[in-house]
Amino acid sequence: MKKLFLLAASAMFCISGHAQQALGGGAQFKSPEINPDKTVTFRYRAPKAMSVQVTGDFLPTQKVKMPNGFEVDMPGRGELVEKDGVWEYTTPTPVAPEMYTYSFVVDGVTTTDPANVYVNRDVSTVTNLLLIGGNEKIDLYKVQAVPHGSVHKVWYHSDAENKDRRLTVYTPAGYEAGKKKYPVFYLLHGIGGDEEAWYTQGRATQILDNLIAQGKAEPMIVVMTNGNLAMEAAPGEGSEGFTVPTMGLPKTMEGSFEAAFPEIVNYIDKNFRTLADKKHRAIAGLSMGGFHSCNISREYPTMFNYVGLFSAALGVTDPKVSPVYQNADEKLDVQFNAKNRPALYYIAIGNTDFLYKSNTEYRQKLDSLGYPYVYLETDGGHIWRNWRTYLADFAPKLFK
Amino acid sequence: MKKLFLLAASAMFCISGHAQQALGGGAQFKSPEINPDKTVTFRYRAPKAMSVQVTGDFLPTQKVKMPNGFEVDMPGRGELVEKDGVWEYTTPTPVAPEMYTYSFVVDGVTTTDPANVYVNRDVSTVTNLLLIGGNEKIDLYKVQAVPHGSVHKVWYHSDAENKDRRLTVYTPAGYEAGKKKYPVFYLLHGIGGDEEAWYTQGRATQILDNLIAQGKAEPMIVVMTNGNLAMEAAPGEGSEGFTVPTMGLPKTMEGSFEAAFPEIVNYIDKNFRTLADKKHRAIAGLSMGGFHSCNISREYPTMFNYVGLFSAALGVTDPKVSPVYQNADEKLDVQFNAKNRPALYYIAIGNTDFLYKSNTEYRQKLDSLGYPYVYLETDGGHIWRNWRTYLADFAPKLFK
């Protein structure tokens, strides 16, 4: 009888017209396929196409001159070769363990891989995901058979904006069953991102689940905020509707978000079982989120004992824009005085990041003032690969 | 300074190579565009393509003969016309308010719309979303500026499978701040689906938020389960990794899921503030989930007071397969005796559904036995449009 139902179900899916692939009407091949020798094969069916390429951050970059004259590093492209209507490309060498994104370029048009349902939105571009495990760090990004924390999509009321705004909150395994109170780590996204960014590309829940299961990180609550104060939520998740995601939104980098941040802390302390003091609070963010973390921790020096700046956008505060950006040096002195000095002030950046210079200058300033920090320099630029690395390095240092 | 940072950020995104679109490197047009007269324009850039079509459930269906000889209704196709490398199609008439999915077909290859970041996975196919509001029912599917419930991704331990399994749980607005206990509605997906299906395509959180805000539905907890008992979670969310989603998984329609269902109820009653009795429990599901709801409510006649069968797969139980499927008639008598009879037994189906006949036979059986039910017949077939309609009709009838 089950077979009969499946047959009927096949007919039904044909009617819906959108799941033929599952039923043999679509891809008869695997893409991407991780081969035993760790090379990867990509396949795309396009009998009438003239060229199909694959592009993604698993390929070496190449210099490309932009229309504005800038010369930038673009991910390389692999040329697929056609046989019987299916195009194929296998990487010449094994692909190192990492989480990558990739796209196909069909006759010059960038598109997704129809054989891979795992997609990721970064600002306004949807790409496919490819995760190659096999080393200790990358295995942190995988869902493992360990106790899992819960992920909550919740709404707090912002008095500053007079609207409800969305947060992603991770609570560690055992939170629901117990009565224990937990420390809280506020984790902030970059420009163009939102409360989904660390949850999706950032693999924050997997990284925390695995680090906690291994005993390397303390069980903690992680709060992933939306740093675009004028928005209720990630694109499509607020009453703004299915808007086109964009960068440089209003109330994103002009002090409002930083000024209003205690609203979020108050909401979390009221609605979750938190250890509600500075000793048990951390804040970190990537790029714009590092900028926010730097500013918030300086503006509220009694709030956070752990501060992480991941590829942070530093040195872009204009005192004319917001009171939060005024008297920054004096506030930094207060943040680092004997009473307030954070247990950990952490700076991480890649050596080809376009923000490397401003981070170096900021470190020199801290050095000259005798303010201690922990520094991690990696290779690579302003990319998610680095931010996941920094999270996996930073989280174990918290609340010890 | 902000502009400088944005400029630098532009460079950075070029480096990542995957967000050019946000920065002018990609689509210079909108797709889809809902025009003032409610026609919709679709656009796709493909200078070298020979043909571009759009297909989706907003178009009238057409009869297509399948390779196996079946003649089925397939969504129609609109032919795009090329100008300066950009293909365009405008619907000849206004498109009725609804949530639709669509794809492009470029030189015969089905692909997504690069100008639309809103995508949906149904089994193993990714399509784009198009939501046209403007009537009362469809406006339920939109995120409105009303108090929002929270959505929790949690894991319960299945003793039956000895593994942790994932659930999506909706708690109504005010749940966190209060101490009140709530009734619970278990909402089950169809074949090929998982605990994400009602949360994404089903718009369950939006429908509940809006119905509750309008005073039409009681505040309730909604539990969206994963009916594939051998799986931990939706594809990509379990330790199985980034598998290719498929239909007809093991332990999906052979009684195990139904038999083990009380584990989920126990977990929910233990970890959420529930009214933990039959009077305050509902169960409903679509297609296979209707099959599960029918079987579970019959197997455990003292558990659910409200039962909803949405386009349910009925009459496909083989007593040889599972004890749950044995003595079904006797169990149905017990379910409908004076002591156990549910407050609401609800059947809904579309008049072109391939399961229409088996549902009619099941209703005839209930009629002949004098067992009462509420019946809703709509037009259309075995499609999400109907299941959202049924949810919006069913939820207000619960716990009154």
Side-chain angles (χ1 to χ4, degrees):
Chain A
M1 291 302 273
K2 190 187 166 187
K3 271 185 193 153
L4 259 182
F5 177 65
L6 283 176
L7 186 68
S10 301
M12 127 202 147
F13 277 103
C14 290
I15 290 166
S16 95
H18 272 129
Q20 301 96 322
Q21 219 185 315
L23 300 151
Q28 296 291 339
F29 48 77
K30 200 172 172 184
S31 178
E33 183 169 11
I34 302 168
N35 302 308
D37 64 356
K38 297 289 178 188
T39 61
V40 180
T41 300
F42 298 86
R43 296 185 179 91
Y44 190 89
R45 189 174 74 84
K48 295 181 188 169
M50 285 171 286
S51 88
V52 180
Q53 300 168 309
V54 62
T55 183
D57 49 5
F58 66 93
L59 288 163
T61 56
Q62 53 195 40
K63 297 273 176 206
V64 175
K65 201 155 195 171
M66 300 301 287
N68 60 11
F70 278 147
E71 195 176 65
V72 296
D73 289 323
M74 295 282 281
R77 294 187 175 190
E79 293 284 344
L80 282 73
V81 175
E82 188 256 340
K83 196 189 161 189
D84 299 331
V86 176
W87 299 72
E88 190 175 297
Y89 170 80
T90 299
T91 60
T93 52
V95 178
E98 186 50 70
M99 189 169 119
Y100 301 100
T101 58
Y102 72 95
S103 304
F104 285 120
V105 183
V106 181
D107 290 341
V109 179
T110 303
T111 189
T112 50
D113 183 349
N116 180 357
V117 300
Y118 298 101
V119 293
N120 178 67
R121 179 182 63 81
D122 188 5
V123 193
S124 67
T125 306
V126 174
T127 55
N128 287 100
L129 285 176
L130 165 65
L131 201 162
I132 299 181
N135 77 23
E136 202 182 326
K137 189 182 83 180
I138 307 307
D139 286 349
L140 290 177
Y141 308 165
K142 289 189 168 182
V143 179
Q144 307 283 359
V146 299
H148 299 297
S150 302
V151 176
H152 315 269
K153 306 285 180 177
V154 298
W155 298 77
Y156 76 98
H157 185 75
S158 168
D159 289 328
E161 288 292 298
N162 194 26
K163 60 174 63 158
D164 291 344
R165 303 189 69 247
R166 196 164 175 257
L167 303 166
T168 303
V169 180
Y170 167 90
T171 53
Y175 178 90
E176 282 87 358
K179 292 193 185 299
K180 206 183 133 185
K181 294 183 173 185
Y182 293 87
V184 186
F185 173 20
Y186 294 83
L187 184 56
L188 281 55
H189 62 80
I191 196 163
D194 50 61
E195 78 277 13
E196 300 282 339
W198 276 109
Y199 173 64
T200 51
Q201 286 166 287
R203 305 296 284 177
T205 57
Q206 289 77 29
I207 292 170
L208 267 291
D209 271 0
N210 291 322
L211 286 174
I212 292 169
Q214 293 170 12
K216 290 180 182 163
E218 292 295 311
M220 65 182 86
I221 295 168
V222 183
V223 179
M224 294 162 257
T225 55
N226 183 319
N228 313 296
L229 194 64
M231 286 184 79
E232 296 169 18
E237 300 288 347
S239 67
E240 301 92 350
F242 286 4
T243 56
V244 178
T246 182
M247 304 209 306
L249 293 164
K251 300 202 176 178
T252 292
M253 289 184 78
E254 38 66 279
S256 304
F257 177 68
E258 295 99 312
F261 201 81
E263 291 186 341
I264 298 175
V265 176
N266 290 339
Y267 169 85
I268 294 295
D269 284 338
K270 200 171 164 188
N271 290 284
F272 291 84
R273 294 199 316 274
T274 64
L275 294 162
D277 59 20
K278 171 172 173 166
K279 199 177 158 194
H280 298 96
R281 277 196 211 107
I283 188 167
L286 74 91
S287 193
M288 181 185 84
F291 165 87
H292 284 151
S293 299
C294 178
N295 299 337
I296 293 165
S297 68
R298 188 184 60 224
E299 186 72 9
Y300 301 105
T302 61
M303 202 168 274
F304 300 99
N305 206 25
Y306 303 84
V307 179
L309 314 183
F310 304 167
S311 311
L314 300 171
V316 290
T317 49
D318 180 345
K320 286 195 290 289
V321 168
S322 164
V324 173
Y325 304 157
Q326 287 164 14
N327 309 315
D329 286 347
E330 291 81 349
K331 289 173 182 171
L332 190 67
D333 289 341
V334 174
Q335 182 179 11
F336 275 92
N337 71 21
K339 198 171 124 243
N340 292 328
R341 182 168 294 185
L344 174 65
Y345 200 85
Y346 175 98
I347 298 174
I349 194 157
N351 56 21
T352 63
D353 195 307
F354 75 101
L355 295 169
Y356 185 84
K357 187 164 167 280
S358 59
N359 271 255
T360 303
E361 286 162 4
Y362 188 69
R363 289 196 297 113
Q364 285 164 347
K365 182 179 181 168
L366 295 178
D367 288 338
S368 71
L369 293 163
Y371 297 158
Y373 57 89
V374 168
Y375 180 60
L376 172 67
E377 186 171 310
T378 59
D379 61 9
H382 207 76
I383 51 178
W384 272 103
R385 187 185 74 199
N386 275 339
W387 303 325
R388 288 185 293 264
T389 300
Y390 304 158
L391 174 61
D393 185 58
F394 183 70
K397 301 185 197 308
L398 303 179
F399 315 123
K400 292 285 168 85
Chain B
M1 289 305 274
K2 191 184 168 190
K3 272 186 192 152
L4 259 183
F5 177 64
L6 283 175
L7 187 68
S10 301
M12 128 203 147
F13 276 103
C14 291
I15 291 166
S16 95
H18 272 127
Q20 301 95 323
Q21 219 185 313
L23 300 152
Q28 296 291 339
F29 49 76
K30 201 172 172 184
S31 179
E33 183 170 10
I34 302 168
N35 302 307
D37 64 356
K38 298 286 179 193
T39 61
V40 179
T41 301
F42 298 86
R43 296 185 178 91
Y44 190 89
R45 189 175 74 83
K48 295 180 190 172
M50 285 171 285
S51 89
V52 179
Q53 299 168 311
V54 61
T55 183
D57 48 5
F58 66 93
L59 289 163
T61 56
Q62 53 194 41
K63 298 271 177 208
V64 174
K65 201 155 194 169
M66 301 300 289
N68 59 11
F70 277 147
E71 193 175 67
V72 296
D73 288 322
M74 295 282 280
R77 293 187 176 190
E79 292 285 344
L80 282 72
V81 176
E82 188 256 340
K83 196 188 162 191
D84 300 332
V86 176
W87 298 72
E88 190 174 297
Y89 171 80
T90 299
T91 60
T93 53
V95 177
E98 187 48 72
M99 189 170 120
Y100 301 102
T101 57
Y102 72 96
S103 303
F104 286 119
V105 183
V106 181
D107 290 341
V109 179
T110 304
T111 188
T112 50
D113 182 349
N116 180 357
V117 300
Y118 299 101
V119 292
N120 177 68
R121 179 182 65 78
D122 188 5
V123 193
S124 67
T125 305
V126 174
T127 56
N128 287 101
L129 285 176
L130 166 65
L131 199 162
I132 299 182
N135 76 23
E136 202 181 326
K137 189 182 84 181
I138 308 308
D139 286 349
L140 290 177
Y141 308 164
K142 287 189 170 182
V143 179
Q144 308 283 359
V146 298
H148 299 298
S150 302
V151 175
H152 315 267
K153 307 285 181 179
V154 298
W155 298 76
Y156 76 98
H157 184 75
S158 168
D159 289 329
E161 287 294 298
N162 194 25
K163 60 174 64 158
D164 291 345
R165 302 189 70 247
R166 195 165 175 257
L167 303 166
T168 303
V169 181
Y170 167 89
T171 53
Y175 179 90
E176 283 86 0
K179 292 194 184 298
K180 209 184 130 182
K181 293 182 174 186
Y182 293 87
V184 186
F185 173 21
Y186 293 84
L187 184 56
L188 280 54
H189 62 82
I191 196 163
D194 50 63
E195 77 278 11
E196 300 282 341
W198 275 109
Y199 173 64
T200 52
Q201 286 166 286
R203 305 298 283 178
T205 57
Q206 289 77 28
I207 291 170
L208 267 292
D209 271 358
N210 291 322
L211 286 174
I212 292 169
Q214 293 170 13
K216 290 179 182 162
E218 292 295 312
M220 66 182 85
I221 295 168
V222 183
V223 179
M224 293 162 256
T225 54
N226 184 320
N228 314 295
L229 194 65
M231 285 184 79
E232 295 170 19
E237 300 288 346
S239 68
E240 301 91 351
F242 287 5
T243 55
V244 177
T246 182
M247 305 211 304
L249 293 164
K251 300 202 175 178
T252 291
M253 288 184 78
E254 38 67 278
S256 304
F257 177 68
E258 294 99 313
F261 202 81
E263 290 186 342
I264 297 175
V265 177
N266 290 339
Y267 169 85
I268 294 294
D269 284 338
K270 198 170 165 188
N271 289 284
F272 291 84
R273 294 199 316 275
T274 64
L275 294 162
D277 58 21
K278 172 174 173 164
K279 199 176 158 195
H280 297 97
R281 276 197 211 106
I283 188 167
L286 74 90
S287 191
M288 180 184 84
F291 164 88
H292 284 151
S293 297
C294 178
N295 299 337
I296 293 165
S297 68
R298 188 183 61 225
E299 185 71 10
Y300 302 106
T302 61
M303 202 169 274
F304 300 99
N305 205 25
Y306 303 84
V307 180
L309 314 183
F310 304 168
S311 312
L314 300 172
V316 290
T317 49
D318 181 344
K320 287 196 289 291
V321 167
S322 164
V324 173
Y325 303 156
Q326 287 164 15
N327 310 313
D329 286 345
E330 291 81 349
K331 289 174 183 169
L332 190 67
D333 289 340
V334 173
Q335 182 179 10
F336 276 92
N337 71 21
K339 198 171 124 241
N340 292 327
R341 181 168 293 186
L344 174 66
Y345 200 85
Y346 175 99
I347 297 174
I349 195 158
N351 57 20
T352 64
D353 196 307
F354 76 102
L355 295 169
Y356 186 84
K357 186 164 169 281
S358 60
N359 272 254
T360 303
E361 287 163 3
Y362 188 69
R363 288 195 297 114
Q364 285 164 348
K365 181 178 182 168
L366 294 179
D367 289 337
S368 72
L369 294 164
Y371 297 158
Y373 58 89
V374 169
Y375 180 59
L376 172 67
E377 185 170 310
T378 59
D379 62 8
H382 207 75
I383 51 178
W384 271 104
R385 187 184 74 198
N386 275 340
W387 303 325
R388 288 185 294 263
T389 299
Y390 304 158
L391 175 60
D393 185 57
F394 183 70
K397 301 185 197 307
L398 304 179
F399 316 123
K400 292 284 168 83

